[in-house]
Amino acid sequence: MLGLLALASLVLPMVAAPPAAAAPSDFLYVANTADGTVSVINTTNDTVGATPITVGTNPTWVAIVPNGTKAYVTNNGSNNVSVINTANNTVSATITVGTAPQGVAVTPDGTKAYVANSGDGTLSVINTATDTVSTTINVGNTPIGVAVTPNGAKAYVANLNAGTVSVIDTAADTVSSTITVGTNPASVAVTPNGAKAYVTNNGSNNVSVINTTTDAVSSTITVGTAPRGVAVTRNGAKAYVTNFGSNNVSVINTTTDAVSSTITTNIGTGPNDVVTTADGDKAYVTNFTTNNVSVIDTTTDTASATLLTVGGGPAGAAPSPDQGDMVTTFQVTATGGLTIAVPASATLSGVAPGGTATGQLGNVTVTDERSLADASWVATASLTDPFTTPGGSPITGSAVTYTPGAAINPVNGPFTAGTAGTLASARTAFSKTSGSGDNSVEWNPTVDVAVPASAVAGTYTGTVTHSVA
């Protein structure tokens, strides 16, 4: 653990500018200071990945680019930044920055990452396209936390041992003003509308509220002991503050800038950083001393009884950013209905009285172009006109056996053939009882006619009718 008495070496949390719109957050990256690793939490089901990612020495803060492809991790002990490829969770680059880097924040357009170097009073500006440092900005004594406004115009840097916040003009990458706040400012979070910046003052147990239009402190809010992390919900209604010394979380109503509640149950020891998911439903608190993460329901402001175990000394964290998901629709239109097609005629084998005339009718085809979610149908066969010849007695369906046979050229089944039997009444030839969408099938039925011994000679003609519904 880094020394707590020497404030210059405090490992303090940082929260980047909150997402601007609702999109589900899938993962949370947690920097484990004591282990030199980053744990990955699935925020859908709140499970911790089996294998942490090895980075530099004393990783402290994390920031993720807006498209979610990279995570930047500051390594306080090795004076560099690890770049994680989030597609495979491997380190793709290592960038040398200033001394004892802590806070990191990425601009909304994803082109720059600002790194606060607490050991030399500077801010490294990383070009995220090349993953190289493009410039270095001198700020106050012991810069710790940094946050960028939603419009990308300004960055606010908390200078721990100066009791100030440096305001960066991100177009010029220069300090445009310096704001006096409380004692030992640690972290900064900007509201989604960009109107306010909340700064935790670790030494004076309060939060300074900055009006970002005037860059002046508009109010001061008393919170718990040794506040460190701060995060604002996506809708801007609440700010969550982790109180490292009193082991609780203060909830600030951002309309009144007053503490509305304090969460004490199921918060671990040494709550350090806090971040909210892009959809605003949850807040995650890293508990530095107990090596776990608390999960807060932002609707009820209660923490889950299940704490998520991560690596040693979890400090900063960052959730998957809002991806700007767009709901896209298109229409699928049915091209037709449910039809059945049969050959015009068929001829069975010749037979003597008392024998059996037999033969196949040719392919019967059912085509279903209704595009239904439940594409069920039943095709039946019946003898609608008995077999007759001039001067002879009719041969009815009870003497006629219908055998469907196997499916031919089936498309998007399954299909079920009916059983063989007489056409004394209509019987199932083929059916589809499950599945969806367009489909089709053919079969070539066999018809056997038992000719009575009393039959007279002649050509017998009957009508076999197929239907589907």
Side-chain angles (χ1 to χ4, degrees):
M1 178 190 292
L2 297 182
L4 295 180
L5 295 179
L7 290 180
S9 63
L10 271 176
V11 175
L12 293 168
M14 161 56 210
V15 180
S25 222
D26 297 324
F27 297 101
L28 180 73
Y29 288 75
V30 179
N32 303 308
T33 304
D35 291 354
T37 64
V38 172
S39 295
V40 182
I41 295 173
N42 183 325
T43 57
T44 301
N45 53 22
D46 288 333
T47 56
V48 182
T51 306
I53 306 163
T54 300
V55 288
T57 305
N58 300 131
T60 308
W61 269 273
V62 188
I64 302 178
V65 294
N67 67 8
T69 58
K70 294 179 181 180
Y72 288 82
V73 182
T74 57
N75 300 306
N76 183 266
S78 51
N79 303 327
N80 54 26
V81 172
S82 297
V83 184
I84 295 174
N85 179 339
T86 59
N88 54 23
N89 284 338
T90 59
V91 174
S92 59
T94 302
I95 308 165
T96 299
V97 290
T99 305
Q102 298 220 42
V104 57
V106 178
T107 55
D109 64 4
T111 61
K112 298 177 183 180
Y114 288 90
V115 177
N117 302 306
S118 64
D120 58 20
T122 64
L123 196 68
S124 295
V125 184
I126 294 174
N127 180 327
T128 59
T130 60
D131 284 336
T132 58
V133 174
S134 59
T135 191
T136 301
I137 307 167
N138 290 317
V139 288
N141 188 2
T142 323
I144 299 290
V146 56
V148 181
T149 56
N151 65 3
K154 297 178 182 179
Y156 289 84
V157 183
N159 302 306
L160 184 77
N161 286 339
T164 63
V165 170
S166 297
V167 184
I168 308 298
D169 177 338
T170 58
D173 281 336
T174 56
V175 176
S176 59
S177 64
T178 301
I179 308 166
T180 299
V181 289
T183 306
N184 302 131
S187 293
V188 188
V190 182
T191 56
N193 64 5
K196 297 178 182 180
Y198 288 82
V199 181
T200 57
N201 300 308
N202 186 77
S204 51
N205 303 329
N206 53 26
V207 171
S208 297
V209 184
I210 295 173
N211 179 323
T212 58
T213 300
T214 62
D215 283 335
V217 174
S218 59
S219 63
T220 301
I221 309 164
T222 300
V223 289
T225 306
R228 292 197 175 182
V230 57
V232 181
T233 54
R234 182 189 62 82
N235 62 7
K238 299 176 183 179
Y240 291 86
V241 176
T242 56
N243 301 305
F244 189 91
S246 51
N247 299 323
N248 54 28
V249 174
S250 297
V251 183
I252 294 173
N253 179 324
T254 58
T255 300
T256 61
D257 282 335
V259 174
S260 58
S261 64
T262 302
I263 306 170
T264 57
T265 304
N266 300 322
I267 302 297
T269 305
N272 198 56
D273 195 10
V274 57
V275 294
T276 58
T277 53
D279 60 12
D281 291 342
K282 298 177 183 178
Y284 289 83
V285 175
T286 59
N287 300 307
F288 190 86
T289 306
T290 46
N291 304 331
N292 52 28
V293 173
S294 299
V295 185
I296 295 172
D297 181 329
T298 58
T299 301
T300 61
D301 286 335
T302 57
S304 169
T306 302
L307 277 68
L308 310 178
T309 300
V310 289
S320 297
D322 177 6
Q323 297 296 307
D325 294 347
M326 179 180 294
V327 177
T328 305
T329 61
F330 64 91
Q331 182 70 38
V332 175
T333 304
T335 58
L338 180 63
T339 60
I340 191 165
V342 299
S345 64
T347 302
L348 306 182
S349 64
V351 66
T356 301
T358 186
Q360 291 184 294
L361 301 184
N363 286 8
V364 177
T365 305
V366 169
T367 303
D368 184 358
E369 294 180 332
R370 299 171 297 170
S371 307
L372 297 179
D374 178 14
S376 300
W377 50 260
V378 176
T380 59
S382 59
L383 187 66
T384 52
D385 292 318
F387 287 97
T388 60
T389 191
S393 298
I395 301 175
T396 63
S398 59
V400 180
T401 299
Y402 180 95
T403 304
I408 302 170
N409 300 323
V411 176
N412 194 22
F415 304 100
T416 303
T419 58
T422 71
L423 296 181
S425 60
R427 66 181 307 102
T428 298
F430 251 85
S431 64
K432 179 176 174 62
T433 58
S434 64
S436 62
D438 291 352
N439 59 89
S440 64
V441 69
E442 303 173 37
W443 67 96
N444 189 353
T446 299
V447 171
D448 297 300
V449 181
V451 179
S454 59
V456 301
T459 299
Y460 285 76
T461 302
T463 303
V464 177
T465 298
H466 289 85
S467 61
V468 65

